[in-house]
Amino acid sequence: MGGFRGDGRLLGLLIWGSALTFLGAFNQSVRAAEPSGSGEASHPSLLSLEENSLGFFPLSLAAKFPDNLEVTENCLEMLRIFGQRYVTVVNCLVSSARPLKVCQNCYQGYSSFDEIYTNISSGQTGSGNVSCQDSLMRSDRLMLLFNLYSSLTDIWTTALCTQCLTPDKKSLTNSTLDFIAHLNKTLSCFEKYQGNHTELCSDCKATYKGLNEMYSSMLKNKTYCIDIEDAMNVTRRLWSKNFGCSVPREETVPVIAVSSFMLFLPVIFYLSNFLHSEQKKRKLIHPKRAKSNHSLMNIQDKFS
């Protein structure tokens, strides 16, 4: 019995040693087959050989999907155009950040970008009766194209750029062009008297005042955008802070008059109350009861 156990252990050791010897020889043969050089060399591993022998292969992200899930060539072309126009608009916005001229410099690029997004999201079917809206915008929860478009649209809307554009969004409005021309005239006057602020305040006063009136009119009619607002703020800082000039505003006169009237309202109220009460005192008459009592006393005196 003990001999049988000893023979079994010996047989197991022999089998295990043979397996290790086989694996060592296999690894040496694989290393010998590796090409020498500095580049990366891919060699088969035991795991890959086992997978190949069993018929399993790792899934690659570059694998081709079935034809019914592939994006059509037409949609891929629209996606490429969308990317190009998006980059164009972003580059324009960044380059026009200072001085702020996003509306007047980027309206053409944004109009083209908005056009390609409208074509993608319209739901129209192209070749193969496939809608690019489904394949490019609704195929995953990230909704990348929609989020990219929304980010630029939020900037465009906040800047009120449409108020400086014609209804077809292909050119600047006449009021915007007039303001830009008057602004350039004002800044040219500032530059002319850069070294003499006294002459600047006197000679550029009419031009600056006209620019202010034009801006106030655009605010009232809602025909301004962020370009005009920022340009006016910068011009006002130059006029008042840098050059130390001032222009008396005509609308301050009625404001002062109304404020003064409001301040004197309490005085007028108390004064009128006082005068009214004095008039009431003067019109007081003796009550009839007191008069009748006096007559009764006279009658009593006579009888007494």
Side-chain angles (χ1 to χ4, degrees), residues 287-304:
K288 295 181 179 180
R289 184 179 177 183
K291 186 175 182 181
S292 61
N293 289 338
H294 182 70
S295 303
L296 183 61
M297 291 177 63
N298 291 335
I299 294 171
Q300 289 176 354
D301 290 338
K302 289 180 180 180
F303 281 105
S304 61

Side-chain angles (χ1 to χ4, degrees), residues 28 44 51 53 72 78 83 88 94 113 128 133 179 185 197 225 241 282 289:
Q28 288 179 1
E51 289 173 341
S53 63
T72 62
M78 295 179 72
T88 300
V94 173
F113 172 72
Q133 182 184 28
F179 179 87
K185 183 179 179 181
H197 292 178
C225 55
K241 187 176 180 180
R282 292 174 185 175
R289 184 179 177 183

Side-chain angles (χ1 to χ4, degrees), residues 18-211:
S18 300
L20 291 177
T21 304
F22 172 76
L23 291 174
F26 176 77
N27 289 333
Q28 288 179 1
S29 63
V30 169
R31 292 193 185 95
E34 291 179 356
S36 59
S38 58
E40 294 184 359
S42 60
H43 55 80
S45 63
L46 184 60
L47 180 60
S48 62
L49 289 175
E50 288 177 353
E51 289 173 341
N52 292 338
S53 63
L54 295 176
F56 297 108
F57 295 91
L59 178 63
S60 172
L61 291 177
K64 182 177 178 62
F65 290 106
D67 292 338
N68 60 339
L69 295 180
E70 289 288 343
V71 182
T72 62
E73 291 294 331
N74 178 51
C75 294
L76 287 176
E77 178 64 16
M78 295 179 72
L79 181 62
R80 184 187 64 81
I81 297 174
F82 177 91
Q84 289 179 345
R85 294 182 181 180
Y86 177 85
V87 172
T88 300
V89 176
V90 170
N91 288 336
C92 181
L93 292 176
V94 173
S95 61
S96 303
R98 282 286 106 195
L100 194 61
K101 296 180 179 180
V102 295
C103 298
Q104 54 187 306
N105 289 349
C106 307
Y107 70 90
Q108 293 179 339
Y110 181 81
S111 179
S112 299
F113 172 72
D114 184 71
E115 180 183 359
I116 187 62
Y117 179 82
T118 302
N119 292 338
I120 293 174
S121 60
S122 62
Q124 296 179 357
T125 56
S127 58
N129 199 26
V130 177
S131 170
C132 294
Q133 182 184 28
D134 295 333
S135 60
L136 297 181
M137 299 183 63
R138 295 179 177 175
S139 58
D140 55 76
R141 65 182 180 85
L142 181 59
M143 296 169 49
L144 183 60
L145 268 63
F146 172 77
N147 288 324
L148 291 175
Y149 175 78
S150 297
S151 63
L152 291 186
T153 302
D154 289 343
I155 295 174
W156 199 254
T157 303
T158 305
L160 302 175
C161 288
T162 54
Q163 295 186 171
C164 285
L165 300 175
T166 55
D168 58 2
K169 300 178 183 179
K170 292 184 178 180
S171 60
L172 298 173
T173 59
N174 292 332
S175 59
T176 303
L177 294 174
D178 291 342
F179 179 87
I180 293 174
H182 208 93
L183 174 68
N184 292 333
K185 183 179 179 181
T186 304
L187 295 178
S188 298
C189 186
F190 288 174
E191 188 176 358
K192 180 180 179 181
Y193 298 100
Q194 189 72 32
N196 193 334
H197 292 178
T198 303
E199 292 186 7
L200 185 148
C201 294
S202 60
D203 292 353
C204 302
K205 179 179 178 181
T207 307
Y208 175 77
K209 186 178 179 181
L211 184 67

Side-chain angles (χ1 to χ4, degrees), residues 232-288:
M232 194 67 234
N233 289 337
V234 173
T235 307
R236 284 174 173 175
R237 284 199 298 269
L238 288 173
W239 177 262
S240 59
K241 187 176 180 180
N242 291 41
F243 305 141
C245 304
S246 62
V247 175
R249 303 179 66 175
E250 297 177 357
E251 59 266 27
T252 56
V253 176
V255 171
I256 294 174
V258 172
S259 301
S260 303
F261 176 74
M262 296 297 292
L263 288 174
F264 279 100
L265 270 181
V267 178
I268 297 171
F269 174 76
Y270 287 114
L271 183 60
S272 62
N273 263 351
F274 175 76
L275 294 176
H276 188 64
S277 62
E278 286 295 325
Q279 287 179 358
K280 280 188 174 182
K281 286 180 181 179
R282 292 174 185 175
K283 291 181 179 179
L284 281 176
I285 59 175
H286 295 287
K288 295 181 179 180

